Every structure is written in C-alpha cells, then in structure tokens.
Amino acid sequence: MVLLGAMNADHANPEDLAALRAALLPVANRPALGWPAVHAFEAEHGIVLPEPYRTVVAEIGDGTEEETGPPFYGLLPLTELPDGWGGVPEDRDLAQLFPLTEQWQWEEDDSDWTEEDIDPVFHFGSVVLGTDGCGMDWHLIVTGPSRGHIWHIDEFGATPFGREFGHTTGQSGFTGWVKHWLAKKAELESVTTEVWFDTETR
C-alpha cells in the first residue's frame, strides 16, 4: 500500500504557474473564468478547488482544444462532463469525500462489491478534467486525503497518477500531469492511457 504524499494544494507555486501558462495558454479554447466565477462555483459546491488548477481556470483558461491536451480530447471546462458521461450529472456531489487513497481495480477484485460501492468513485469529490475516450476519464480530487491528486477512472477501476504509486514516471498533481503530457506529446503522435502509465502494465 502506498500512502498519499503530502501535497500543497492550497498555494500555487509561481514556477508551476509559469510552466502551466506557457503550456496551456496557447491552446486554451475558452477564456479564463475570472476569480468571481471560480468563487461562485466553489460556494455552490461547498469546496475549494486545489491549486494550481484553481488559478489556471481563474486566470489562464477554462479548457483546451482536442488533441492539444491534456488529455487526448482536451481539458474540459470546469462545469462540463465528457460526451457520453455514463451517469446522471445531478448524482455528482463534489463536497462528498472522494473514497479512495489507493488503486482499486474492481474488475479484478473478487470481493462482493456492488454498484453502490463503485458509484462514489465516479461521483464524489472530484472535477472531471477530461477524457482519453471510451469512458477513460481523468479526475482532479477536490476533497479528502487524495485532494490535489489526479486519478484515472474507467469502467475497470481507478488509479492514482504520480510516480510514488508505481504506475507512471510523472509527478503527482496537476502540474506533474500536464508536464508528463507535454513530455510524451513531444515524443509521440498521441498520448494514450498506456503512455500515461508508462512504468508498468496496469
């Protein structure tokens, strides 16, 4: 079991913001929301968005073009879900605690889990950053011990992104996730789930 590392999700590092501005501003397809809109979203949902994502949507841009990433189909606007989202948007509750702190591949789990056990993984405590298609979605966790971490969640299971978890060479958090995309994008034509998780087969 890998414990989640400490992450400062309440303060944006100026170096991180500079790197994110350089990476995302040229491909942003929607203007930044501005701080009043971000504060209104947070008040509506009873959360505070983790940094540096919070400053990105407030000051840099609220989404990116398809294939300019990350992920493959682009960074979603804060209030949107991927096309073909497999649930009812109203079921999502950002203020409820995200339930996981370690990988859970329920399709490989012999336990007697139910849909009610799995649903909170999709619906509680996260904003959906975007998708690589076919329900392979990326979530930024906004509540609980995993706050500030990025998770990949699909029909088979949920996996945290970050080198300490042993699935990727990328660093944890939003900045590490974007930098990993850029590094792989420079090498390859497209960044697939297998490329995101580049240290072992999940």
Side-chain angles (χ1 to χ4, degrees):
M1 174 178 172
V2 176
L3 296 176
L4 292 171
M7 177 178 293
N8 188 346
D10 293 319
H11 299 283
N13 181 308
E15 292 181 1
D16 287 348
L17 287 177
L20 291 168
R21 192 177 302 276
L24 299 175
L25 190 58
V27 295
N29 63 349
R30 295 200 185 189
L33 294 178
W35 285 109
V38 168
H39 293 154
F41 178 89
E42 292 175 332
E44 177 185 353
H45 293 282
I47 54 113
V48 175
L49 294 169
E51 292 287 3
Y53 175 77
R54 187 175 191 243
T55 296
V56 167
V57 295
E59 297 183 359
I60 297 174
D62 185 31
T64 64
E65 295 282 356
E66 184 175 316
E67 295 188 39
T68 63
F72 184 80
Y73 287 97
L75 194 63
L76 282 171
L78 175 61
T79 60
E80 294 187 11
L81 292 169
D83 291 340
W85 176 256
V88 179
E90 290 75 18
D91 288 343
R92 307 204 78 242
D93 188 341
L94 276 60
Q96 289 281 349
L97 294 184
F98 180 74
L100 301 181
T101 57
E102 60 182 313
Q103 183 186 48
W104 180 24
Q105 294 295 312
W106 46 78
E107 285 299 306
E108 300 172 5
D109 188 348
D110 293 330
S111 303
D112 293 327
W113 52 261
T114 66
E115 292 298 323
E116 287 73 23
D117 297 322
I118 296 174
D119 280 350
V121 178
F122 289 93
H123 297 303
F124 288 178
S126 72
V127 294
V128 183
L129 295 176
T131 184
D132 283 323
C134 300
M136 298 181 292
D137 301 329
W138 292 94
H139 294 238
L140 172 65
I141 309 308
V142 300
T143 61
S146 289
R147 183 171 180 267
H149 285 272
I150 309 274
W151 283 66
H152 181 268
I153 303 174
D154 61 21
E155 64 181 312
F156 304 108
T159 300
F161 181 85
R163 63 181 59 159
E164 68 265 39
F165 304 106
H167 311 292
T168 181
T169 57
Q171 292 183 339
S172 295
F174 186 73
T175 304
W177 184 70
V178 171
K179 286 182 175 180
H180 189 72
W181 164 271
L182 289 174
K184 295 300 180 180
K185 184 79 169 151
E187 300 171 14
L188 304 163
E189 200 168 298
S190 66
V191 180
T192 64
T193 302
E194 291 75 17
V195 174
W196 282 107
F197 295 105
D198 57 351
T199 60
E200 67 173 35
T201 302
R202 294 191 309 143

